[in-house]
Amino acid sequence: MSAEWDAIIVGSGAAGLTAAVTAARKGLKVLVLEKTEVFGGTTAISGGGIWIPGNHHQIAAGIPEPAGAARNYVATLVGEGLEGEVLDAYLQAGPEMVRFLEDKTEVRFALADHSPDWHPEIEGASKEGRLLRPLEYRTQKLDGYLDELRDPRSEFNAPVGFMVDLPDLPHLDQMKSSPKSMIYMMKIVGQYAWDKMRGRRRGSRITMGNALAARLLRSAHDAGVTLWRNTSVLSLDTGPDGVTGVTVSRSGKTETLKATRGVVLATGGFSSNEQLRRLTCPIPISTSRSWPAATPATA
């Protein structure tokens, strides 16, 4: 296996896999390094929503995005610590990113209904349109890669085990009073029962953040990205012009990998690391391992 790549991506959540797929679609030789035995990171156990003002779904729905409104909203929330250039780049590239993924990969989004910005009292807030949710996916489309995908949180499953999505919730609530909702849910339950009768470990329907991670994982394989599991990055290697690669631990051996075009750090936050939480979080926090929403790999 070659020890030289164009781009090395550290982390396999939505950010890491998006970077990997984008680079691969641009013709680069790409390697993704994942610390754990499964891909998907915290994305795979999340709701999967992304906040992208001015996305094409919002525009197609006729929901306005006034110039400067989203920037003012974020700037007011962040305050003095705002990095204006970073925010401007995000607001400009966000809609382009959504369009690229939907044009070139398996990723698909839809508007998240009834999802206003969290602080409607701030000037620039929007009542709808900025939040996107990933569309559901099917395990069959992973084509043998299902065991590489991190399982979702059990809280996102119905009591019998099948995954639910945000659009399912009204139907769950109205099952007893609405024949339409009853039929809707019975189709989902029936599919799950059929999956289990056929001996499948999971139901074939994947939703929310697990669906986003699954779509990106499939897309990474399709784009020719090389993905390594159980690989810990020990250090960034540097030279006169900056970072030149990484040193990793893999299968009990230490390897040095070169990256001719760059290394992308997409390892998420550090909320699973109790020591760093204590150093950086301004409010009292629990020391329980159940507190962080991120995967243990971020420790």
Side-chain angles (χ1 to χ4, degrees), residues 112-184:
D113 296 330
H114 312 297
S115 297
D117 290 338
W118 283 15
H119 292 273
E121 75 281 4
I122 294 178
E123 183 179 352
S126 177
K127 293 182 179 180
E128 58 182 339
R130 292 173 176 171
L131 186 67
L132 297 174
R133 62 176 180 85
L135 296 186
E136 66 178 62
Y137 203 51
R138 296 290 166 177
T139 57
Q140 297 92 321
K141 293 185 177 182
L142 282 171
D143 192 25
Y145 302 127
L146 179 60
D147 288 341
E148 297 181 5
L149 178 68
R150 184 178 300 279
D151 286 345
R153 287 190 181 277
S154 59
E155 292 89 343
F156 290 164
N157 294 347
V160 294
F162 63 86
M163 290 201 74
V164 295
D165 204 352
L166 295 178
D168 302 339
L169 300 182
H171 293 288
L172 279 169
D173 187 52
Q174 300 167 21
M175 281 183 62
K176 295 181 179 180
S177 59
S178 168
K180 180 179 178 181
S181 292
M182 176 63 74
I183 293 172
Y184 177 95

Side-chain angles (χ1 to χ4, degrees), residues 14 17 24 41 43 51 75 87 90 101 110 135 139 141 186 199 204 208 226 229 232 243 249 265:
L17 290 179
T43 298
W51 190 81
L87 174 58
Y90 176 87
L101 288 177
L135 296 186
T139 57
K141 293 185 177 182
M186 288 306 296
S204 61
M208 294 188 283
T226 299
R229 295 181 281 178
S232 298
V243 175
S249 174
L265 297 180

